[in-house]
Amino acid sequence: MHTTTFDSLLLGPEATLHDALARLDATAQGIVLVTDAQRRLLRTVTDGDLRRAALAGLPPHTTLAALPPKAPLSVGLQAAMRDVQQLMDAQRIDHVPIVDDAGRAVDLVTRRELSQRVWMSSPHLGDDEAGLVQEAFRSNWIAPLGPHVDAFERELAAHVGVAHAAATSSGTAALHLGLRLLGVGPGDLVLCSSLTFVASANPIRQLGAIPVFVDSEPQGWNMSPRALQRALQALAAEGRRAKAAVVVDLYGLSAEMDALAPLLEAAGVPMLEDAAESLGAFYRDRASGSFGALAVFSFNGNKIITTSGGGMLVGDDARLIDHARRLSTQAREPVRHYEHVEDGYNYRMSNVLAGIGRGQLRVLRQRVDARRAVFEHYRATLAGRGGLRWMAEPPGHRATRWLSAFVLEHPRPQRARDLLLDFLERHNVEARPVWKPMHLQPLYAGCRYFAHDDDVSAALFAGGVCLPSGSNLDAAQLARVGALLQRGLDLVEAQA
Ligand SMILES: Cc1ncc(COP(=O)(O)O)c(C=O)c1O
């Protein structure tokens, strides 16, 4: 239902039963909203009301104002989907009008929408996964080692164009291993993109090291070379050098590696590339995940391909990746008995899950194309609308558009963002704010932060929205989300 359709649900009290019937017929929503000149909701008129009016013998030219009074049931703009559902169930109604603080009708939720949730990024299996998992069962390779693990590592490394890979139980585990292998320990400084998921930073803290957060650049939202340079200079002036830098490739877009890598190299700081969100992306014909001394992928359930949970540490240094495998299996020494010299972890990927991963890797290219098409659908649907800035795909990049994201350019961006997110949630569409930057997280209060000029990542958080982006969204779902975005953005314009 587009805005014009929402407006077409509104009738004045002077309208007649005949008008209401015609409107119900044209809009097919089973309800019209009777509003005064200021759009304040006076009552609703449903099919049932008209039936009862006909049975009572009221002529078609009777005005809606003359109907037996009925207090309108509605909820406010802050109401969640749960509140709407509760009201529907308690009152046995199928429609709930939404009113703003002034009592004006601004939206309508129908029961049909409540059973049709659109997810942000749900798993999307191909044709081969079940067979590969069955193979693991048949051959009894159920343990966290086996032929699928070995093959998944080989196949993923080939896909990314790196020499070696170690499969892990999660992307976070791979980050932890990667930092340890780069020698990060207590008291060390580690540079880290601020605009990211908390898992990029937590292993730094968990190793006793100190994160130093770096802002985003405004185009692609990844680590700002300008802010990085400032950070490196500031540390150098103090006679300090970071032990490593966690550079995140956000939402399916590689960071600006041509600018970042030379800065880090000149400062002697190895890069741990957090490519958890960007498998399948390219920058100047090199795959995301092939830039760092080590890089990390995630196969968590919401990622572009998934093993239900899992990760991978990749790199060209065979010694480091072998070491990662040993550390991920409790660091057992290669002798008959259980001999331990190093502190290890239980971080290896299971052979069953690696089977899923192998099947998923076969459809990765299709998944990238599908997600890019989702992004283009939104961009085309909202083309010509002011006040939106899409996450860019700067020259030289091929993004996967793992998540389709934009920023609302608005004088009160956070209020506008929350109005839109509340609207989408009421209509059973999952959408989220852009990551809250690490330097604004209570967990990292007091950590150092180097801004671009203004605080770019804070502004991206304030106005940023991530939309449903799954490769398995069908045309009807995309059309529904597109139409809801139009309506939601109209509502933001009217309210915020
Ligand atoms: C940027 C980033 N880093 C790390 C992770 C952690 O990966 P995992 O959930 O597999 O531990 C994620 C996602 O979950 C992520 O988005």
Side-chain angles (χ1 to χ4, degrees):
M1 198 171 34
H2 188 257
T3 339
T4 52
T5 330
F6 176 70
D7 279 355
S8 69
L9 294 176
L10 308 184
L11 281 177
E14 71 292 344
T16 63
L17 291 179
H18 179 268
D19 296 335
L21 194 58
R23 201 59 77 81
L24 278 173
D25 202 39
T27 54
Q29 295 297 311
I31 193 166
V32 293
L33 310 182
V34 184
T35 54
D36 67 13
Q38 283 77 44
R39 286 174 73 113
R40 283 186 300 242
L41 182 66
L42 301 174
R43 63 166 298 152
T44 59
V45 174
T46 62
D47 286 323
D49 292 321
L50 293 183
R51 228 173 11 246
R52 282 183 288 278
L55 286 172
L58 295 177
H61 57 263
T62 310
T63 64
L64 300 180
L67 284 176
K70 182 170 100 173
L73 296 165
S74 62
V75 296
L77 273 169
Q78 287 76 30
M81 200 184 72
R82 204 180 39 250
D83 306 321
V84 173
Q85 181 141 29
Q86 272 168 6
L87 186 64
M88 283 181 181
D89 291 345
Q91 301 292 333
R92 297 171 181 230
I93 52 177
D94 292 332
H95 310 85
V96 171
I98 314 297
V99 295
D100 67 9
D101 293 345
R104 289 178 299 223
V106 290
D107 191 16
L108 177 76
V109 181
T110 65
R111 186 180 285 280
R112 194 165 10 118
E113 292 175 286
L114 300 183
S115 60
Q116 298 173 345
R117 184 149 180 86
V118 178
W119 298 99
M120 222 169 77
S121 183
S122 70
H124 185 183
L125 289 177
D127 296 333
D128 295 344
E129 289 84 338
L132 289 157
V133 169
Q134 264 168 18
E135 202 174 301
F137 276 59
R138 209 169 37 243
S139 57
N140 202 32
W141 281 108
I142 305 300
L145 78 170
H148 280 330
V149 176
D150 299 341
F152 188 33
E153 289 177 343
R154 274 197 312 276
E155 289 161 6
L156 185 111
H159 210 95
V160 176
V162 292
H164 304 284
T168 56
S169 51
S170 70
T172 313
L175 277 160
H176 189 185
L177 289 172
L179 288 168
R180 228 189 99 176
L181 290 166
L182 295 178
V184 172
D188 286 333
L189 300 178
V190 177
L191 296 158
C192 183
S193 306
S194 188
L195 190 67
T196 186
F197 180 53
V198 73
S200 307
N202 280 350
I204 300 172
R205 246 183 83 247
Q206 288 156 359
L207 282 164
I210 303 156
V212 175
F213 293 112
V214 183
D215 199 4
S216 300
E217 44 87 17
Q219 287 303 304
W221 307 2
N222 277 308
M223 187 183 279
S224 153
R226 193 183 305 173
L228 175 64
Q229 190 158 28
R230 285 207 182 110
L232 291 169
Q233 280 166 353
L235 297 188
E238 296 160 17
R240 301 200 67 175
R241 181 168 57 172
K243 196 78 178 198
V246 177
V247 177
V248 176
D249 302 317
L250 197 72
Y251 297 152
L253 181 75
S254 255
E256 288 299 318
M257 294 301 183
D258 271 5
L260 297 170
L263 291 173
L264 290 171
E265 211 172 303
V269 179
M271 186 201 301
L272 175 57
E273 188 183 354
D274 183 351
E277 300 176 1
S278 68
L279 177 63
F282 284 87
Y283 176 58
R284 304 210 191 285
D285 295 328
R286 272 178 71 181
S288 219
S290 68
F291 293 92
L294 291 169
V296 163
F297 293 106
S298 164
F299 308 111
N300 190 13
N302 63 355
K303 295 297 184 293
I304 194 157
I305 63 169
T306 182
T307 58
S308 90
M312 195 81 81
L313 183 72
V314 305
D316 285 330
D317 187 330
R319 204 178 39 85
L320 285 181
I321 299 297
D322 277 347
H323 196 173
R325 284 199 198 94
R326 197 163 73 247
L327 289 177
S328 71
T329 47
Q330 307 287 17
R332 186 182 168 190
E333 293 297 313
V335 293
R336 174 179 294 158
H337 62 276
Y338 282 82
E339 178 84 0
H340 300 278
V341 178
E342 281 186 294
D343 187 13
Y345 315 95
N346 183 5
Y347 275 176
R348 201 76 169 118
M349 180 183 280
S350 116
N351 195 58
V352 178
L353 300 189
I356 304 178
R358 293 185 70 195
Q360 287 270 276
L361 199 54
R362 292 175 192 173
V363 291
L364 174 61
R365 285 205 174 86
Q366 287 147 257
R367 301 295 181 258
V368 172
D369 291 345
R371 287 199 187 238
R372 287 178 63 87
V374 168
F375 180 87
E376 289 310 328
H377 166 84
Y378 290 136
R379 197 151 59 175
T381 302
L382 302 177
R385 258 205 111 94
L388 291 185
R389 188 160 49 83
W390 293 97
M391 186 180 177
E393 186 181 42
H397 284 274
R398 187 167 198 271
T400 66
R401 300 296 188 186
W402 171 58
L403 293 187
S404 291
F406 62 68
V407 182
L408 289 165
E409 292 177 318
H410 197 278
R412 294 163 73 194
Q414 198 147 335
R415 174 167 158 73
R417 177 201 76 186
D418 288 343
L419 272 170
L420 182 65
L421 291 176
D422 287 346
F423 171 89
L424 291 171
E425 187 53 39
R426 264 198 313 275
H427 291 277
N428 215 0
V429 170
E430 188 187 25
R432 297 231 181 101
V434 160
W435 297 129
K436 181 174 183 180
M438 292 305 112
H439 74 281
L440 300 179
Q441 297 285 357
L443 179 63
Y444 289 108
C447 284
R448 292 175 81 179
Y449 173 61
F450 289 87
H452 177 78
D453 276 328
D454 298 333
D455 191 339
V456 172
S457 63
L460 291 170
F461 169 61
V465 174
C466 298
L467 298 172
S469 307
S471 48
N472 48 5
L473 291 173
D474 63 28
Q477 287 174 312
L478 282 177
R480 181 172 148 220
V481 178
L484 282 170
L485 280 170
Q486 294 278 23
R487 273 176 62 196
L489 290 166
D490 285 345
L491 187 144
V492 167
E493 268 172 33
Q495 292 290 322

